[in-house]
Amino acid sequence: MTVYLNGRFLPLEEAHIPVLDRGFIFGDGVYEVIPVYSRRAFRLAEHLKRLQHSLDGMRLPNPHNEAEWSALINELIARNNGEDQYLYLHITRGVAKRDHAFPQPPVPPTVFMLSSPLAQPAASLLASGVSAVTAEDNRWLRCDIKAISLLPNVLLRQMAVDAGCTETILIRKGNDGADFLTEGAASNIFVVKHGTLLAPPKDNLMLPGITYDVVLEIAAAQGIPHQVRRITQAEVIAADELLLTSSTKEVLPVTTLNGQAVGDGKPGPMFSRLHGLYQTFKHEVMRQP
Ligand code: PLP
């Protein structure tokens, strides 16, 4: 496996980071996960735009322009096996004496990229759906930044695993006492009610998912009724269908929530339709020159 670290492509075993890297010490960095289908990065421009947003959020200049990122990413894809891969990009504020404030003068950022094989979600998962639990979203107020400091997400995801489930669906306590859906511990969540697809609005309380955008674009293009608005916890609990999206899982049905069936407990018609349309969309995009 060949990885990229600070200007060099090298075997994973030879990639080393100094212990004073601010990513290691403070979690002071951001990342991206980009799926690659048929050796082409999917929605690269959108992922690079979100990376820029995350870098702006951490006040770190982007070490590369879009053309440079593209070239590096294409080279990493070429140097690794597999038609379908997923790329992990990781940028930290670099190596400096431990001090919370930014290093002065600034030090070079650490730039790391890794490619892993991308497997489609198993057919059995698509057929049965996955289970989830709900938990209070106790993260910070800049969840729109794809920060590497993921301890809250790690603890929240582990709650699902401890309950024998796949994902934790996060509910934020509103100032007005109303509890509302934000996202999953590592995914975005959609609710389906009476044939309408409901999505929480992109704001500072959730990661603006690239897959989330694709699903809403497909819904708009196909005339599928949809609304982007705040979704209450009660609406999540009473959903006809729940869908989970992410770059590596694409679109998955959540068929059990907190031990109770979602709708009739089987993947529903909205899931089947969106999943099919997502596959078509993906293959069409990959065929474009
Ligand atoms: N929300 C969180 C917290 C995530 O970690 C992820 C991806 O891993 C997503 C949403 C989905 O984003 P994307 O569709 O860009 O993978």
Side-chain angles (χ1 to χ4, degrees), residues 124-168:
S124 55
L125 272 192
L126 299 175
S128 63
V130 298
S131 52
V133 291
T134 52
E136 183 181 341
D137 191 344
N138 55 7
R139 301 171 302 162
W140 68 332
L141 299 178
R142 289 304 309 274
C143 298
D144 55 313
I145 299 174
K146 204 162 167 58
I148 61 170
S149 34
L150 284 172
L151 180 58
N153 302 62
V154 166
L155 293 174
L156 288 164
R157 168 58 71 81
Q158 189 59 35
M159 288 173 70
V161 173
D162 290 345
C165 296
T166 298
E167 182 58 304
T168 304

Side-chain angles (χ1 to χ4, degrees), residues 70-212:
S70 274
L72 290 173
I73 284 169
N74 287 332
E75 182 154 359
L76 186 68
I77 295 170
R79 285 173 182 256
N80 282 282
N81 294 329
E83 290 297 292
D84 295 351
Q85 308 176 16
Y86 73 88
L87 306 182
Y88 175 78
L89 270 70
H90 176 120
I91 304 168
T92 79
R93 209 181 304 278
V95 181
K97 181 172 166 294
R98 188 181 180 282
D99 180 1
H100 285 60
F102 298 173
Q104 212 44 258
V107 294
T110 300
V111 180
F112 174 64
M113 290 197 288
L114 173 83
S115 166
S116 304
L118 176 63
Q120 294 279 305
S124 55
L125 272 192
L126 299 175
S128 63
V130 298
S131 52
V133 291
T134 52
E136 183 181 341
D137 191 344
N138 55 7
R139 301 171 302 162
W140 68 332
L141 299 178
R142 289 304 309 274
C143 298
D144 55 313
I145 299 174
K146 204 162 167 58
I148 61 170
S149 34
L150 284 172
L151 180 58
N153 302 62
V154 166
L155 293 174
L156 288 164
R157 168 58 71 81
Q158 189 59 35
M159 288 173 70
V161 173
D162 290 345
C165 296
T166 298
E167 182 58 304
T168 304
I169 295 180
L170 306 180
I171 305 291
R172 182 74 80 161
K173 294 236 173 283
N175 290 337
D176 49 4
D179 299 343
F180 60 92
L181 167 68
T182 53
E183 58 181 340
S187 60
N188 289 114
I189 303 292
F190 291 81
V191 167
V192 180
K193 193 69 186 177
H194 302 317
T196 298
L197 181 68
L198 304 175
K202 286 199 277 189
D203 59 13
N204 60 312
L205 299 179
M206 70 168 236
L207 185 77
I210 305 297
T211 323
Y212 163 103

